[in-house]
C-alpha cells in the first residue's frame, strides 16, 4: 500500500499543529507554489526531478528540522492569514538574486525575508597576520 504525502494541504496542517519547517532547500519548489504562473498547481507532481532530489536529500541528511510552537500564545499566531511563516528555507548561496531566503505562510504567500545569504567564512587572515608555512626541520639520523 502506498502512503500519501499531504502536499496540497501541508501549509494548513503545519499551521493548525503549530509547526514550522526550518531549512527547506533553497531553490526547491514549496508546497502549493506555482512552477509556471500561467498554470495551476498540480500538487506534488509539480516537483521537478531536481526538486525531488533536493527534498529527499534534505530529509535524509536532516537539513530540514521541524520546530513545534508549544504555548497557546505562540500557536495563536498561526491563523491562515498569519504573519508567522510555516516554512523557512535555508540561506541562499552567495550568488543568489535575493539577499535573504524564502519564507512561506499558511495562506500560500511567499516573501524573501528569511535567512540572509551565506557568504562562507567571515574571517580571512590579513597579510600582516599571515605566516609563511614552513615545514619543521627533519631530524637526520
Amino acid at each position: 500500500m502506498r502512503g500519501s504525502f499531504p502536499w496540497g494541504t501541508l501549509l494548513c496542517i503545519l499551521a493548525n499543529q503549530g509547526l514550522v519547517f526550518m531549512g527547506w532547500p533553497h531553490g526547491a519548489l514549496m508546497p502549493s507554489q506555482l512552477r509556471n504562473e500561467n498554470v495551476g498547481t498540480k500538487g506534488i507532481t509539480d516537483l521537478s526531478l531536481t526538486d525531488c532530489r533536493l527534498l529527499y536529500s534534505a530529509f535524509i541528511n536532516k537539513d530540514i528540522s521541524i520546530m513545534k510552537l508549544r504555548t497557546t500564545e505562540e500557536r495563536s499566531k498561526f491563523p491562515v492569514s498569519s504573519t508567522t511563516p510555516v516554512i523557512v528555507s535555508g540561506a541562499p548561496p552567495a550568488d543568489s538574486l535575493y539577499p535573504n531566503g524564502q519564507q512561506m505562510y499558511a495562506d500560500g504567500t511567499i516573501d524573501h525575508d528569511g535567512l540572509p545569504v551565506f557568504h562562507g567564512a567571515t574571517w580571512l587572515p590579513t597579510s600582516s597576520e599571515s605566516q609563511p608555512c614552513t615545514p619543521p626541520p627533519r631530524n637526520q639520523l
Side-chain angles (χ1 to χ4, degrees):
M1 180 175 166
R2 290 181 67 172
S4 63
F5 190 80
W7 190 255
T9 58
L10 183 60
L11 301 176
C12 289
I13 292 170
L14 292 171
N16 289 335
Q17 297 297 318
L19 301 173
V20 179
F21 274 181
M22 302 294 293
W24 195 266
H26 177 77
L29 200 65
M30 292 185 170
S32 304
Q33 184 179 9
L34 300 177
R35 177 162 303 283
N36 183 337
E37 292 180 18
N38 299 329
V39 180
T41 183
K42 295 177 185 163
I44 202 164
T45 59
D46 282 342
L47 293 178
S48 68
L49 185 56
T50 301
D51 290 333
C52 291
R53 286 181 178 151
L54 284 170
L55 285 172
Y56 177 79
S57 175
F59 279 113
I60 293 300
N61 296 328
K62 299 183 179 165
D63 295 334
I64 293 178
S65 60
I66 301 173
M67 181 176 72
K68 175 131 176 105
L69 302 179
R70 296 184 187 343
T71 67
T72 306
E73 181 181 332
E74 287 176 322
R75 286 188 185 189
S76 69
K77 296 178 183 176
F78 272 92
V80 173
S81 61
S82 175
T83 58
T84 303
V86 293
I87 299 177
V88 178
S89 76
D95 62 349
S96 175
L97 297 174
Y98 297 98
N100 296 75
Q102 291 184 324
Q103 300 181 127
M104 186 172 233
Y105 300 85
D107 64 0
T109 59
I110 297 174
D111 66 25
H112 288 273
D113 295 332
L115 296 173
V117 167
F118 178 70
H119 291 287
T122 57
W123 174 84
L124 293 175
T126 63
S127 59
S128 64
E129 293 174 330
S130 297
Q131 299 293 324
C133 182
T134 55
R138 290 187 177 180
N139 291 336
Q140 306 248 339
L141 296 176

